[in-house]
Amino acid sequence: MSHPQPVTPADIDAARTAFHADRANIVAKNAVSSVGIRAAARVPEGVAANPLTFDIEVKQGKRCDQERSGRCWMFASLNTMRYRIIQTYHLETFELSQAYPLFWDKLEKSNWFLENILDTLDEPLDGRLVSYLLADPVGDGGQWDMFKSLVKKYGAVPKEAMPETACSRNTRELDSYLTRYLRGAAKRLRESAAAGVDAEDLAALKRTMVGEVYRLLVTCLGEPPATFDVRLRDKEHALVLSGTFTPREFFDRAVGMRLDDYVPLISAPTADKPFGHVYTVSRLGNVVEDGGVRYLNLPLERLKQVAIAQLRDNAPVWFGCDVGQSYLRDEGMMDTAALDVDALFGFAVEGCMDRAARLAYGESLMTHAMVLEGVNLDADGRPTLWKVENSWGADHGRDGFDTLSDAWFDEYVYQVVVDKKYLTDEERAAFEAEEPRVLAPWDPMGSLACAR
């Protein structure tokens, strides 16, 4: 390693002189210091290129709001499912309970975490793996496969069957206390094992801990219903569904979605993930008996093609992206042309890395899940602009929805979930039969969608 070079007074004088030599730097300083970087970098012509009409569009119900929680992946998943209920029964709108899967996800993640602690008793406490497990044992985030596991095991319920509580609307306190409990539980398990407690007694201790987690969750979220009554009326106020259901019966009857037919596709153009192969992420999941996640890595153009095919068939598309990048949040626009940060600073900041480099160097990963519900196409059938159903309420963005330019899709969309019927025979065979390549727990493809 070369001898470290300090920042010298001469370096600072040179930088100061260079800054004041260009009038644009002074203008940028005055603007940014007054209104902030993104407001100053806003490009009105880029904003104007985001219309409100779409060539292909799925009509959804009223906008949902995850409020101050990181449940975007749940809301996105439920929004793809409630669409089926709205269409099947000709409803004006409908919402599935978001507190219900939150309860079971916290319980299952707690069990998953404690099982991982038991599986890593021989690992050093300060090693990378155990430190990673302890960093965020039971956060709000998740992925499609994790939600699929919850629904297959626990079903779904209408929102009125398990409404929101203070702790589901704002999960910060719940997450904080549950995380503290689980770290304490990890300490007890590791210390018990070090003291010679056998595997059977450790498993019994873990079961007691899961029972305590259940008690904590019921206190915060209420108890999930075992059965509930349903009365649905269509747009003409005719009664179209009524009866008493279990959560699994209701999902099968009202949603009727073949969950195993839906395939998560990623597009990660990094050297360690050749296209056309299947991947999983070590130690990522929630429902122990259902395993973890499974992705097929394909070129970005294939993700677009299959998403458009599903939209053409009047079905929304779950997708995951890095929502904070080049995003005008108040205006609901994800568009690389709507912000020009590099011109503002006079050198490459946003443009200093391509998609692969951002993944490799920790600059970008999936942070948020939403639903594609429309797309505009050019004369050659290529996408130019996508319509997005977010989960930040009716007052957010553009009349309650966002727009996403195709150029932004190229840079920051990492995953879509589509019916496997849209895959080629070769792609489908690879997803179903290939032994997945295992990625490290901290791989960017293992990130959890949790933006709020």
Side-chain angles (χ1 to χ4, degrees), residues 263 265 302 306 419-425 427-428:
V263 176
L265 307 176
R302 281 298 293 144
V306 294
D419 193 311
K420 63 184 180 182
K421 68 183 180 182
Y422 300 111
L423 302 182
T424 65
D425 291 343
E427 291 166 347
R428 194 160 43 248

Side-chain angles (χ1 to χ4, degrees), residues 223-443:
E223 194 153 19
T227 61
F228 51 91
D229 293 332
V230 173
R231 301 288 186 275
L232 293 185
R233 293 187 178 274
D234 65 14
K235 296 177 183 178
E236 284 71 44
H237 308 292
L239 189 64
V240 290
L241 180 64
S242 65
T244 301
F245 298 87
T246 67
R248 292 181 64 177
E249 287 170 346
F250 179 75
F251 179 81
D252 291 341
R253 173 74 175 274
V255 180
M257 190 174 183
R258 295 170 56 89
L259 292 169
D260 288 332
D261 286 349
Y262 285 81
V263 176
L265 307 176
I266 60 171
S267 189
T270 49
D272 62 327
K273 301 179 187 71
F275 288 135
H277 294 286
V278 177
Y279 299 87
T280 189
V281 180
S282 176
R283 314 235 174 226
L284 176 61
N286 52 2
V287 179
V288 168
E289 66 269 29
D290 206 27
V293 299
R294 185 181 181 91
Y295 318 125
L296 177 62
N297 192 25
L298 295 176
L300 199 57
E301 287 307 308
R302 281 298 293 144
L303 268 64
K304 296 179 185 180
Q305 289 166 3
V306 294
I308 292 171
Q310 187 159 300
L311 287 170
R312 285 189 185 279
D313 285 344
N314 201 37
V317 178
W318 191 105
F319 78 103
C321 65
D322 189 356
V323 75
Q325 306 276 7
S326 296
Y327 184 31
L328 291 172
R329 179 165 178 152
D330 290 342
E331 295 173 278
M333 295 180 187
M334 291 161 271
D335 190 346
T336 55
L339 287 170
D340 196 348
V341 173
D342 292 354
L344 186 68
F345 289 116
F347 56 91
V349 177
E350 286 199 326
C352 68
M353 289 181 283
D354 63 14
R355 180 184 176 96
R358 286 193 297 271
L359 288 171
Y361 282 83
E363 168 54 26
S364 186
L365 42 69
M366 186 176 74
T367 60
H368 193 44
M370 298 178 282
V371 175
L372 297 172
E373 61 175 12
V375 64
N376 279 344
L377 306 172
D378 65 15
D380 297 317
R382 293 187 296 263
T384 58
L385 187 72
W386 303 78
K387 184 181 180 185
V388 174
E389 180 182 17
N390 207 334
S391 51
W392 291 343
D395 295 333
H396 165 76
R398 317 189 73 191
D399 296 330
F401 68 89
D402 289 346
T403 53
L404 185 161
S405 74
D406 196 61
W408 196 94
F409 195 118
D410 288 340
E411 301 298 332
Y412 301 116
V413 171
Y414 293 117
Q415 186 174 163
V416 302
V417 176
V418 297
D419 193 311
K420 63 184 180 182
K421 68 183 180 182
Y422 300 111
L423 302 182
T424 65
D425 291 343
E426 182 181 11
E427 291 166 347
R428 194 160 43 248
F431 181 81
E432 292 175 346
E434 182 178 303
E435 186 68 23
R437 305 179 183 200
V438 181
L439 304 175
W442 38 83
D443 189 275

Side-chain angles (χ1 to χ4, degrees), residues 159-178:
K159 188 160 189 171
E160 57 267 24
M162 189 169 178
E164 298 283 85
T165 71
C167 292
S168 66
R169 293 188 185 96
N170 185 343
T171 55
R172 191 176 304 278
E173 285 187 337
L174 167 59
D175 288 346
S176 175
Y177 285 109
L178 182 52

Side-chain angles (χ1 to χ4, degrees), residues 17-212:
T17 299
F19 183 89
H20 288 279
D22 190 338
R23 172 179 170 274
N25 292 334
I26 307 301
V27 174
K29 170 181 69 72
N30 293 342
V32 172
S33 62
S34 298
V35 300
I37 295 173
R38 292 197 179 188
R42 183 180 182 275
V43 180
E45 294 82 3
V47 172
N50 288 261
L52 295 173
T53 56
F54 294 86
D55 298 327
I56 302 169
E57 188 172 2
V58 172
K59 293 296 184 181
Q60 184 62 285
K62 292 181 180 178
R63 304 304 178 188
C64 302
D65 191 349
Q66 70 186 74
E67 300 190 55
R68 300 182 67 183
S69 71
R71 296 175 290 166
C72 61
W73 60 292
M74 292 183 174
F75 273 74
S77 302
L78 290 169
N79 284 341
T80 66
M81 295 172 185
R82 74 172 179 136
Y83 176 77
R84 291 169 171 263
I85 300 175
I86 292 171
Q87 295 300 306
T88 299
Y89 296 102
H90 307 288
L91 307 179
E92 194 69 42
T93 191
F94 184 81
E95 270 192 74
L96 290 159
S97 170
Q98 300 94 1
Y100 181 78
L102 176 68
F103 182 101
W104 295 118
D105 182 58
K106 296 296 185 189
L107 186 74
E108 293 287 350
K109 275 180 181 167
S110 296
N111 185 60
W112 180 281
F113 168 75
L114 295 173
E115 287 289 339
N116 273 297
I117 292 300
L118 290 174
D119 192 49
T120 56
L121 293 174
D122 294 332
E123 295 283 338
L125 180 61
D126 59 353
R128 185 173 189 183
L129 178 55
V130 177
S131 296
Y132 177 83
L133 294 175
L134 291 170
D136 189 17
V138 70
D140 284 357
Q143 296 196 7
W144 167 264
D145 275 343
M146 296 163 67
F147 194 82
K148 179 180 76 172
S149 295
L150 293 173
V151 174
K152 287 172 68 175
K153 185 170 183 177
Y154 296 106
V157 307
K159 188 160 189 171
E160 57 267 24
M162 189 169 178
E164 298 283 85
T165 71
C167 292
S168 66
R169 293 188 185 96
N170 185 343
T171 55
R172 191 176 304 278
E173 285 187 337
L174 167 59
D175 288 346
S176 175
Y177 285 109
L178 182 52
T179 294
R180 182 167 181 152
Y181 173 83
L182 289 172
R183 287 173 178 155
K187 176 178 180 292
R188 289 164 61 196
L189 289 172
R190 288 179 64 91
E191 289 178 349
S192 296
V197 175
D198 64 26
E200 185 176 344
D201 287 340
L202 286 174
L205 178 57
K206 191 219 73 170
R207 283 194 295 272
T208 298
M209 293 169 172
V210 172
E212 291 174 343

